[in-house]
């Protein structure tokens, strides 16, 4: 028999074709089997897979494959998050229609996914830009409209001047820049569509506690984003007028220390409360602020700036007048857009009071302190109340309660819970998205498109300039429609939806992807969901996951599904990092070809400048990326998968290392040779299994136990692969005859390795004469018996003197042990021809032969 060489380039595409032809990964719908839903976050079809994708999908693929072999019916789908700005920008830059550009990218990425040997059920594939899908996104919007959860309002919005669109707060980074274009975001007043996510703020927060399979870090990020604060709403009457200024405070215990009130510059009362003498100054101040983002206005290191309005309000607790100001650090969007300034106990107020020489009155003393000395900085901790009238001597906690209660009784305010979470702004003035299915009629107002008229198709013929209004607004013919209610001429809504809506329900659609009559059949979604294991990047820890949780709760309340949380377990995989070269002084990124090593130092070939070498997240601009296609071409998919899984635990960052890739390739070659060797020299059969074979069998079953735990409990694919390497070594080194145990070892090795390296294992499986796919084999079961260390070492003594040892089965009775001892080397030497007077047996320890002298 000639033994073939391991050639992944030949065997991998061959098996991929077989799997496709046999529809091997079609979702089983056998309801006798328990279900398992394994999902990777579906990608934006940018055109090419990067290593981050490869890592994400490999992790989920292993999980899906293990579960399938364990007898689950597994849902493991893939689709495309296909709307979004890059397609539109490509259209503008290169004159290709977004739809064509997207289709082309999907085709290429699908091919790349298939070359990785991922076990998707392609029959459930869909793209969010297809009418068959976005029809239901529109339908979902209409449901929310009917539920009062979708509404329109004029709002100060974040305007991206480069992409010419509105951004959600979540899409603006901490420096006030667009997450996509990087441009400084401006503020604009526009009529916009919102989804009332705030209605679910409390539940979205509370239910985080039920998500025991989520990383703590992600839950903390969500909780902070929702930002629940408890405190009080207090009203301050304006002196000599009817208006009252309502403030939200988390520190009602400091109310006796109020020195002034501050309104946000956008607050509606600013106009009426500005004294004539202050008008010019106030106007100028407001104009200056219009250019700044919320983050810039509230940054702690910024000087606080403000202007007095020239009017006063009364502190209801002290009856003292306090001046009313406007200031940059008070945001209109949070709380009531007005703040009571307590400089002694709030850092920002302290800075503000110092700047404008406003009084600083301390009303909270640190516990144990009795004397008031001038403050050098705000005292922000809880303490004991002073200068607070009837509340003197109370601790902060009690005082908060008592003061709120007093305010309530006297009609000055009430207890209040405040969330940082804002309603979700979803309208975008761009083309490549889902048209919002609404019609504006001069007689009837805003009228929803009737469900029967869905989908509102995105027109194909459109001129994309990237500037000005929504491109759809220029399509007069498309815009003009009769009003569905009164029939008179009306106009379509020309905004499209934020693409985060597309991805906030796609995981439900996979359960019933081809349904053309409904968004999905409830019983199918209730059967498959929640997702058992969701895998994706930490960059989605807030937005995507929060929106998905929100929409899930909406659909539950609409009676369409019977669960409220979409993802049972969440794994956020670490970054894939590449070796990065950066010049020390000028900070320039270099390719590996642009550097040279001199005396053990790395330098820029051109300038001779020293170069720092480190690992950083792969990115084009840093020349540290590794192209998956090249790795696949050189080593094959199995090696790439093995390396990614072996190099680091899934949540940790992974440093790309060519030598380690090579190492995994060599390991697969060892497996290959082991099986070839076995085929050429099958071991002889013997009936009994001597100790070394029992040892081998123990290793086999230890491996099953370890790999099972590492692929179903805490995911530790790296240690699972280490166990498989150990088993491979044991099988390679094994010197014995029992082909039963060796057969078992080879079979177990290949089946356990199959989820990690699906191609080579399938090939070897068939070389061993099997007809069926290895991926349809049952996951090996641990034989608990095999794990037991079933041998003892027994000391042999002659007349009380230790002469040697024997290895014996632990269950053997005394007679058997005596016989074994007599037959052993020691026995032959010392017992031959002797008369044994008696035998002393210490169970499990020793046999002492007493001889007749
Ligand atoms: C008086 C006070 C005294 C406050 C004190 C703090 C300490 P969180 O925890 O974020 O909810 N605040 C309220 N609305 C604001 C707005 N629109 N813009 C800027 N700041 C605002 O914080 C609530 C606290 O932030 C409130 O409690 C208020 O200042 C301020 F010793 O009121 B505090
Ligand atoms: Zn009408």
């Amino acid at each position: 028999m000639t033994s073939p060489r391991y050639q992944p380039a030949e065997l991998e595409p061959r098996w991929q074709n077989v799997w496709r032809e046999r529809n091997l990964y079609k979702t089983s719908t056998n309801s006798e089997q328990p279900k398992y839903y394994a999902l990777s976050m579906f990608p934006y079809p940018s055109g090419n897979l990067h290593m981050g994708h490869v890592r994400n999908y490999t992790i989920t693929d292993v999980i899906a494959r293990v579960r399938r072999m364990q007898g689950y019916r597994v849902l493991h789908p893939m689709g495309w998050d296909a709307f979004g700005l890059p397609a539109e920008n490509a259209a503008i830059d290169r004159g290709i229609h977004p739809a064509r550009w997207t289709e082309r990218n999907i085709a290429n990425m699908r091919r790349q996914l298939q070359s990785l040997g991922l076990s998707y059920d392609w029959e459930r594939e869909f793209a969010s830009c297809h009418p068959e899908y976005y029809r239901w996104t529109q339908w979902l919007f209409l449901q929310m409209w009917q539920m009062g959860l979708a509404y329109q309002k004029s709002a100060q919005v974040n305007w991206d001047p480069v992409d010419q669109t509105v951004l959600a707060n979540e899409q603006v980074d901490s420096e006030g820049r667009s997450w996509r274009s990087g441009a400084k975001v401006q503020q604009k007043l526009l009529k916009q569509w919102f989804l009332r996510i705030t209605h679910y703020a409390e539940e979205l927060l509370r239910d985080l506690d039920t998500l025991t399979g989520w990383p703590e870090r992600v839950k903390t990020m969500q909780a902070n984003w929702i930002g629940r604060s408890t405190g009080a709403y207090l009203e301050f009457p304006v002196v000599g007028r009817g208006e009252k200024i309502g403030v939200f405070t988390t520190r009602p215990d400091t109310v006796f220390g109020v020195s002034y009130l501050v309104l946000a510059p956008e607050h509606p009362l600013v106009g009426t409360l500005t004294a004539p003498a202050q008008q010019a100054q106030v106007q100028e101040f407001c104009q200056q602020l219009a250019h700044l983002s919320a983050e810039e206005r509230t940054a702690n290191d910024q000087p606080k700036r403000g202007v007095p309005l020239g009017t006063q309000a009364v502190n209801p607790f002290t009856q003292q007048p306090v001046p009313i100001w406007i200031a940059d650090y008070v945001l209109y969007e949070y709380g009531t857009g007005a703040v009571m300034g307590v400089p002694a106990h709030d850092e920002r107020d302290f800075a503000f009071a110092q700047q404008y020489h406003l009084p600083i009155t301390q009303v909270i003393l640190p516990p144990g302190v009795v004397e008031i000395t001038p403050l050098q900085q705000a005292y922000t901790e809880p303490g004991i109340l002073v200068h607070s009238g009837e509340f003197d001597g109370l601790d902060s906690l009690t005082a908060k309660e008592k003061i709120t209660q007093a305010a309530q009784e006297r009609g000055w305010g009430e207890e209040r819970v405040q969330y940082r979470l804002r309603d979700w702004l979803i309208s975008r003035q761009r083309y490549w998205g889902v048209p919002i299915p609404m019609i504006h009629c001069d007689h009837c107002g805003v009228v929803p498109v009737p469900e029967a008229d869905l989908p509102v198709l995105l027109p194909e013929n459109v001129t994309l300039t990237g500037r000005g209004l929504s491109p759809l607004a220029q399509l007069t013919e498309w815009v003009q429609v009769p009003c569905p209610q009164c029939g008179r001429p009306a106009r379509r809504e020309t905004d499209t939806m934020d693409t985060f809506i597309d991805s906030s329900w796609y995981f439900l659609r996979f359960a019933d992807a081809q349904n053309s009559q409904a968004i999905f059949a409830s019983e199918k979604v209730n059967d498959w969901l929640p997702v058992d294991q969701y895998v994706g990047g930490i960059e989605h820890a807030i937005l995507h996951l929060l929106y998905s949780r929100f929409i899930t709760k909406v659909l539950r309340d609409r009676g369409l599904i019977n669960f409220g949380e979409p993802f049972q377990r969440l794994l956020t995989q670490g970054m894939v990092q590449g070796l990065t070269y950066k010049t020390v002084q000028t900070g320039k990124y270099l390719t590996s070809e642009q550097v040279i090593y001199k005396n053990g130092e790395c330098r820029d070939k051109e300038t001779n400048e020293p170069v720092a070498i480190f690992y950083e997240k792969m990115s084009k601009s840093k020349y540290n990326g590794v192209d998956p296609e090249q790795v696949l071409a050189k080593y094959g998919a199995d090696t790439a998968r093995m390396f990614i899984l072996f190099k680091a635990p899934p949540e940790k960052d992974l440093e790309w290392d060519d030598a380690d890739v090579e190492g995994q390739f060599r390991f697969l070659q060892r497996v290959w040779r082991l099986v070839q060797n076995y085929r050429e020299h099958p071991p002889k059969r013997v009936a009994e299994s001597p100790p070394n074979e029992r040892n081998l069998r123990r290793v086999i079953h230890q491996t099953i136990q370890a790999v099972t735990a590492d692929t179903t409990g805490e995911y530790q694919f790296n240690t699972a692969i280490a166990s498989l390497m150990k088993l491979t070594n044991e099988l390679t080194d094994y010197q014995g005859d029992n082909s039963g145990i060796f057969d078992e070892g080879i079979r177990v090795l290949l089946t356990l390795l199959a989820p990690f390296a699906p191609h080579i294992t399938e090939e070897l499986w068939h070389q061993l004469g099997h007809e069926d796919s290895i991926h349809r084999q049952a996951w090996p079961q641990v034989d608990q018996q095999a794990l037991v260390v079933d041998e003892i070492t027994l000391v042999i003594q002659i007349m009380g003197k230790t002469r040697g040892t024997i290895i014996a089965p632990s269950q053997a009775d005394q007679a058997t042990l005596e016989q074994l001892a007599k037959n052993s080397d020691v026995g032959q030497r010392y017992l031959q021809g002797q008369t044994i007077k008696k035998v002393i047996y210490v169970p499990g320890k020793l046999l002492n032969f007493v001889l007749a002298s």
Side-chain angles (χ1 to χ4, degrees):
M1 189 166 18
T2 60
S3 93
R5 286 197 320 123
Y6 174 42
Q7 287 177 309
E10 183 276 321
L11 71 87
E12 289 187 354
R14 176 157 51 80
W15 282 113
Q16 286 158 17
N17 282 332
V18 172
W19 298 334
R20 197 168 29 236
E21 277 158 22
R22 295 193 193 163
N23 212 348
L24 193 72
Y25 304 118
K26 187 180 163 65
T27 312
S28 163
T29 48
N30 176 1
S31 58
E32 313 255 286
Q33 294 174 284
K35 71 99 179 174
Y36 195 91
Y37 187 176
L39 184 65
S40 296
M41 291 180 183
F42 74 159
Y44 178 76
S46 56
N48 280 293
L49 290 188
H50 55 66
M51 274 306 169
H53 291 127
V54 176
R55 190 176 193 196
N56 187 165
Y57 309 148
T58 303
I59 291 169
T60 316
D61 193 54
V62 172
I63 295 169
R65 285 176 178 279
V66 168
R67 294 289 173 170
R68 235 181 254 121
M69 294 173 89
Q70 288 178 338
Y72 290 79
R73 61 188 156 100
V74 172
L75 179 55
H76 185 218
M78 180 43 81
W80 310 97
D81 189 10
F83 273 132
L85 268 183
E88 207 162 329
N89 291 336
I92 294 161
D93 296 345
R94 295 174 235 174
I96 174 171
H97 194 279
R100 302 292 89 68
W101 186 81
T102 304
E103 293 304 335
R104 221 160 67 183
N105 290 349
I106 288 177
N108 190 50
M109 288 173 79
R110 188 192 295 117
R111 178 189 59 77
Q112 291 180 316
L113 289 179
Q114 282 167 346
S115 72
L116 279 167
L118 300 166
S119 62
Y120 295 127
D121 178 356
W122 287 103
E123 287 178 9
R124 291 176 189 248
E125 176 190 9
F126 58 76
S128 61
C129 66
H130 290 159
E132 297 79 22
Y133 181 84
Y134 73 66
R135 162 184 193 168
W136 302 112
T137 309
Q138 292 173 336
W139 184 86
L140 177 64
F141 181 90
L142 293 182
Q143 307 306 302
M144 295 181 74
W145 165 263
Q146 285 167 22
M147 294 165 82
L149 293 173
Y151 68 96
Q152 220 182 0
K153 83 169 181 208
S154 282
Q156 283 285 347
V157 295
N158 303 306
W159 179 257
D160 179 335
V162 169
D163 279 342
Q164 294 274 315
T165 187
V166 169
L167 299 173
N169 287 340
E170 295 87 331
Q171 291 166 340
V172 180
D173 71 14
S174 59
E175 286 165 21
R177 292 179 183 278
S178 159
W179 71 306
R180 190 174 280 291
S181 74
K184 271 278 191 219
V185 168
Q186 301 167 353
Q187 300 298 304
K188 247 190 175 181
L189 195 69
L190 283 176
K191 204 154 199 199
Q192 298 290 319
W193 285 98
F194 290 85
L195 297 182
R196 214 179 291 279
I197 190 172
T198 52
H199 185 74
Y200 288 88
E202 186 62 42
E203 200 192 345
L204 286 167
L205 183 68
R206 187 167 18 92
D207 285 358
L208 288 174
D209 290 341
T210 67
L211 300 176
T212 48
W214 281 41
E216 283 306 319
R217 175 157 84 117
V218 173
K219 289 194 277 187
T220 306
M221 286 163 83
Q222 295 227 342
N224 290 341
W225 189 260
I226 296 166
R228 185 183 200 269
S229 297
T230 50
Y233 168 78
L234 299 176
E235 284 185 337
F236 292 68
V238 178
V239 173
R241 313 178 49 128
E243 289 94 352
K244 287 179 176 161
I245 295 174
V247 304
F248 170 69
T249 176
T250 46
R251 294 293 305 272
D253 54 321
T254 65
V255 72
F256 284 79
V258 175
S259 323
Y260 59 95
L261 296 185
V262 206
L263 304 182
E266 303 88 348
H267 197 288
L269 281 177
V270 171
T272 47
L273 295 187
T274 304
Q278 288 301 100
Q279 238 141 34
Q281 219 192 327
V282 166
Q283 241 169 36
E284 197 199 313
F285 182 73
C286 290
Q287 271 161 15
Q288 283 170 11
L289 286 190
H291 303 286
L292 299 178
S293 70
E295 284 73 17
E296 287 170 312
R297 280 171 47 173
T298 51
N300 261 334
D301 51 358
Q302 288 293 311
K304 313 280 171 276
R305 291 175 313 149
V307 178
L309 297 184
T311 42
Q312 293 185 314
V314 179
N315 183 341
F317 282 89
T318 61
Q319 297 303 324
Q320 294 300 308
V322 288
I324 306 171
W325 285 64
I326 55 172
D328 54 2
Y329 71 97
V330 175
L331 300 176
Y332 181 48
E333 297 286 313
Y334 187 63
T336 62
V339 169
M340 59 182 216
V342 186
H345 304 295
D346 181 89
E347 278 168 25
R348 292 173 304 178
D349 295 344
F350 189 84
F352 192 77
Q354 281 199 319
Q355 169 117 353
Y356 295 107
H357 308 291
L358 292 158
I360 300 176
T361 313
Q362 191 170 0
V363 292
I364 308 287
L365 282 185
V369 173
V370 285
E371 215 177 317
I372 301 182
T373 49
L375 286 169
Q376 300 307 309
Q377 60 187 60
Y379 175 70
T380 60
E381 300 294 306
I384 306 299
L385 271 71
V386 288
H387 291 164
S388 297
E390 57 194 292
F391 304 99
D392 274 353
L394 295 178
D395 64 276
S396 289
L397 201 66
T398 317
K400 277 183 193 180
E401 256 171 53
K402 289 261 157 58
I403 288 176
T404 308
Q405 201 185 341
Q408 194 132 7
E409 283 163 11
R410 301 168 199 177
W412 302 336
E414 62 191 23
E415 198 181 323
R416 177 153 304 177
V417 176
Q418 184 66 45
Y419 298 91
R420 196 155 295 281
L421 185 67
R422 300 275 71 109
D423 276 343
W424 179 10
L425 194 172
I426 57 146
S427 35
R428 297 288 179 276
Q429 292 69 46
R430 297 302 297 239
Y431 168 69
W432 193 235
V434 182
I436 295 176
M438 288 291 179
I439 290 168
H440 301 273
C441 171
D442 289 339
H443 296 269
C444 313
V446 186
V447 182
V449 172
E451 278 183 23
D453 294 350
L454 297 183
V456 177
L457 285 174
L458 189 63
E460 283 256 324
N461 287 320
V462 60
T463 319
L464 298 171
T465 61
R467 283 178 296 281
L469 276 176
S470 158
L472 293 178
Q474 293 150 39
L475 300 179
T476 328
E477 264 176 52
W478 182 81
V479 172
Q480 291 176 345
V481 281
C483 167
Q485 239 164 58
C486 71
R488 282 181 258 219
R491 283 157 286 111
R492 281 194 193 283
E493 171 63 60
T494 59
D495 283 354
T496 54
M497 295 184 211
D498 179 6
T499 59
F500 273 106
I501 301 189
D502 307 335
S503 53
S504 66
W505 73 278
Y506 79 105
F507 44 89
L508 304 170
R509 181 75 178 171
F510 277 132
D512 192 13
Q514 310 301 341
N515 197 329
S516 60
Q517 304 306 309
I519 186 167
F520 47 69
S522 296
E523 66 278 9
K524 288 189 182 172
V525 171
N526 288 338
D527 176 33
W528 279 112
L529 277 275
V531 173
D532 294 272
Q533 181 65 60
Y534 199 28
V535 184
I538 187 74
E539 68 274 18
H540 294 300
I542 299 176
L543 301 189
H544 163 60
L545 292 170
L546 195 65
Y547 293 152
S548 300
R549 297 180 59 223
F550 163 49
I551 296 294
T552 300
K553 292 178 193 303
V554 170
L555 289 170
R556 177 206 57 198
D557 289 348
R558 193 69 176 166
L560 286 160
I561 55 179
N562 63 9
F563 52 93
E565 284 292 338
F567 311 120
Q568 200 132 66
R569 278 180 78 170
L570 172 71
L571 188 161
T572 50
Q573 94 264 5
M575 303 280 184
V576 185
Q577 302 183 321
L579 203 57
T580 314
Y581 303 92
K582 189 177 176 185
T583 57
V584 172
Q585 283 131 35
T586 51
K588 218 173 72 172
Y589 287 98
L590 302 174
T591 67
S592 59
E593 278 89 52
Q594 290 174 309
V595 300
I596 189 165
Y597 290 88
K598 276 187 203 159
N599 312 325
E601 270 185 85
C602 185
R603 288 176 179 274
D604 184 341
K605 248 187 207 166
E606 219 170 86
T607 65
N608 205 34
E609 197 187 327
V611 168
I613 311 174
F614 51 94
Y615 276 98
E616 209 172 324
K617 184 190 174 189
M618 286 185 180
S619 90
K620 279 208 181 81
S621 59
K622 292 174 182 164
Y623 310 114
N624 60 356
V626 176
D627 179 10
E629 292 236 30
Q630 283 178 12
V631 178
L632 258 59
K634 189 161 176 198
Y635 298 103
D638 284 342
T639 296
R641 294 169 58 114
M642 293 288 288
F643 163 75
I644 279 179
L645 297 164
F646 181 66
K647 179 70 183 179
E651 298 87 357
K652 294 271 153 51
D653 287 345
L654 178 156
E655 298 176 349
W656 193 271
D657 181 331
D658 289 329
D660 287 348
V661 179
E662 192 76 44
Q664 287 305 311
F665 186 64
R666 281 200 305 273
F667 167 55
L668 291 180
Q669 280 178 316
R670 278 213 307 284
V671 173
W672 182 271
R673 275 199 307 273
L674 171 68
V675 176
Q676 300 312 324
N677 214 31
Y678 169 62
R679 291 170 67 213
E680 287 158 25
H681 315 283
K684 285 172 285 169
R685 285 190 183 276
V686 295
E688 286 293 307
S689 31
N692 64 331
E693 287 170 353
R694 285 201 299 277
N695 281 336
L696 178 63
R697 187 142 196 276
R698 191 177 321 121
V699 175
I700 293 168
H701 285 266
Q702 280 167 346
T703 309
I704 298 173
Q705 193 172 44
V707 175
T708 306
D710 288 343
T711 51
T712 52
E714 291 299 307
Y715 297 119
Q716 294 188 319
F717 307 117
N718 51 333
T719 59
I721 291 175
S723 305
L724 291 168
M725 289 171 153
K726 179 172 177 228
L727 177 59
T728 305
N729 290 342
E730 294 277 342
L731 288 167
T732 305
D733 296 346
Y734 168 77
Q735 319 266 335
D737 283 339
N738 189 326
S739 94
I741 287 175
F742 198 81
D743 279 349
E744 184 183 14
I746 296 283
R747 200 174 60 241
V748 165
L749 173 65
L750 291 181
T751 36
L752 294 181
L753 186 60
F756 302 86
H759 307 87
I760 186 175
T761 48
E762 183 80 308
E763 173 70 15
L764 294 172
W765 187 251
H766 281 77
Q767 286 182 11
L768 291 176
H770 299 282
E771 292 286 326
D772 196 6
S773 170
I774 191 166
H775 303 299
R776 294 163 57 105
Q777 302 310 305
W779 191 250
Q781 296 291 312
V782 178
D783 178 354
Q784 293 297 336
Q785 275 299 304
L787 294 178
V788 175
V789 182
D790 59 356
E791 284 152 2
I792 49 167
T793 304
L794 206 63
V795 170
I796 307 300
Q797 294 184 339
I798 312 292
M799 306 292 289
K801 236 195 186 125
T802 299
R803 297 294 187 185
T805 58
I806 58 164
I807 292 174
S810 55
Q811 323 86 326
D813 58 11
Q814 189 177 342
T816 315
L817 291 175
E818 281 178 28
Q819 201 52 49
L820 276 172
K822 283 178 196 160
N823 294 344
S824 70
D825 292 349
V826 186
Q828 312 239 327
R829 258 221 352 253
Y830 296 98
L831 298 175
Q832 211 117 80
Q834 304 283 350
T835 311
I836 297 168
K837 214 164 86 185
K838 79 177 180 195
V839 182
I840 301 164
Y841 176 45
V842 184
K845 293 232 163 60
L846 65 82
L847 274 177
N848 182 12
F849 291 88
V850 181
L851 308 178
S853 45

